[in-house]
Amino acid sequence: MRLVTIDDVRAAEKAIEGFAVRTPLLHAAWAGDLWLKAENLQPVGAFKIRGAANALARLPEGAGVITHSSGNHGRALGYAAARRGVPCVVVVPDTAPAAKVAGIRDTGAEIIMVTPAERFSATERLTAERGLVLIPPYDHPDVIAGQGTVGLEILDQSSDVDTVLVPVGGGGLGSGVATAVKALAPTVRVIGVEPELAADAEESLRAGELIAWPQEKSYRTIADGVRTGLSELTFAHLKARLDDIVTVTEAEIRSATGELARRAKLVAEPTGALTTAAYLRYGSEWGRAAAVVSGGNLDPELLAELVTAS
């Protein structure tokens, strides 16, 4: 299995110009030596635009695309496809947050709602029926390379960073960031973060083999963006390049989401708050840490609940 290289990530950096923005690295002095990579400030509210735009750039002109997504990747692909003037279909599990579904719809993409169990089979069927090109959320080298540009920017913005923290769901972001960071700054640690209630990647990496969790188990977490498990491709990247992986509780995720809004003035969805939650729990071990705030797309009611919670 070929792993993505730093050359792939460098090429992606050029391919996504005009689609993704260079997000700031903000000092969260209230938490210590923590720096927040604010990917929630991307045009689609999440880092996913990087991988989606890079994968789309590799396709022939006019090729229509399809994906399956609980929200952020579908919105990113819909946005990039609209910019290129090509059709986009997004298969969405009916458990996806309403705000994320609305974000996909706003791009003009066609939405197909299915049960979580039908997510992959429906996508496969529609891909064949309509002659579309599948760009999955994470199980694709071009997507991984695009996400790796987050790592390039962090190293450029903070040459003395000790640790980079990334949320882990399907593993595309962690795979890409670890590829970039370990190639350019091998002594910098890259640590993945998962909810305790969706810790299939931690179990897999500890066991040395890919272990899948049933959907009803991983869907318990509030962090909807990391309810999906690793693929063989992302597992291979994380096994080779990730330094460690830790977990946080639901209470810690909720608290960190509120802290980011109140003290950093950043709207983060629970998945985007995973890395801050981990730093607040383990940060004394990590020196200067850059935490990827992966996205900020959440329902207003949930945001209000988490911001006002004590």
Side-chain angles (χ1 to χ4, degrees):
M1 180 183 297
R2 177 188 178 275
L3 300 188
V4 169
T5 69
I6 187 61
D7 289 338
D8 297 323
V9 180
R10 289 290 194 198
E13 185 178 33
K14 294 181 175 61
I16 67 175
E17 288 180 359
F19 288 87
V21 301
R22 180 183 172 92
T23 55
L25 189 65
L26 306 171
H27 187 201
W30 49 270
D33 207 359
L34 174 65
W35 297 76
L36 304 170
K37 181 60 170 165
E39 286 295 293
N40 58 314
L41 301 180
Q42 288 290 352
V44 297
F47 75 96
K48 292 285 192 177
I49 186 59
R50 298 173 181 268
N54 186 50
L56 193 58
R58 310 295 169 188
L59 298 181
E61 288 291 333
V65 292
I66 186 171
T67 193
H68 54 87
S69 171
S70 61
N72 286 339
H73 175 69
R75 182 175 181 178
L77 188 62
Y79 173 85
R83 291 278 302 273
R84 289 195 63 176
V86 298
C88 177
V89 176
V90 184
V91 177
V92 181
D94 56 16
T95 54
K100 291 188 176 182
V101 177
I104 298 171
R105 185 172 290 111
D106 287 344
T107 70
E110 179 185 353
I111 295 175
I112 307 294
M113 300 294 294
V114 299
T115 67
E118 297 173 300
R119 174 174 177 162
F120 298 105
S121 60
T123 303
E124 183 177 355
R125 174 177 54 78
L126 288 165
T127 300
E129 286 178 358
R130 302 195 185 185
L132 300 170
V133 178
L134 173 62
I135 299 181
Y138 51 87
D139 189 26
H140 195 293
D142 293 336
V143 172
I144 291 172
Q147 318 307 25
T149 60
V150 174
L152 293 183
E153 290 182 14
I154 289 173
L155 293 180
D156 186 55
Q157 293 166 317
S158 180
S159 60
D160 55 353
V161 68
D162 298 304
T163 305
V164 176
L165 306 173
V166 292
V168 176
L173 177 62
S175 297
V177 170
T179 294
V181 171
K182 302 311 283 189
L184 300 177
T187 61
V188 175
R189 302 184 74 204
V190 183
I191 297 175
V193 185
E194 280 187 306
E196 287 184 355
L197 296 185
D200 56 289
E202 184 201 36
E203 184 177 351
S204 297
L205 291 167
R206 302 280 184 248
E209 61 180 354
L210 188 58
I211 298 173
W213 281 26
Q215 287 181 336
E216 61 269 19
K217 187 175 182 180
S218 59
Y219 269 60
R220 297 173 300 165
T221 180
I222 192 175
D224 62 278
V226 292
R227 290 170 177 166
T228 303
L230 303 178
S231 68
E232 293 284 355
L233 181 63
T234 56
F235 175 68
H237 281 80
L238 297 184
K239 184 179 179 182
R241 296 169 178 169
L242 199 69
D243 289 290
D244 198 4
I245 189 165
V246 299
T247 62
V248 290
T249 67
E250 295 299 293
E252 288 168 335
I253 298 168
R254 288 174 171 271
S255 176
T257 305
E259 288 289 277
L260 285 170
R262 290 189 299 269
R263 308 189 73 171
K265 311 308 178 188
L266 289 177
V267 173
E269 60 194 77
T271 299
L274 281 172
T275 53
T276 298
Y279 182 86
L280 293 174
R281 180 172 180 178
Y282 305 104
S284 60
E285 309 169 14
W286 291 335
R288 173 162 294 191
V292 180
V293 182
S294 57
N297 297 317
L298 73 167
D299 290 329
E301 296 81 5
L302 179 58
L303 175 61
E305 174 191 334
L306 298 175
V307 170
T308 58
S310 59

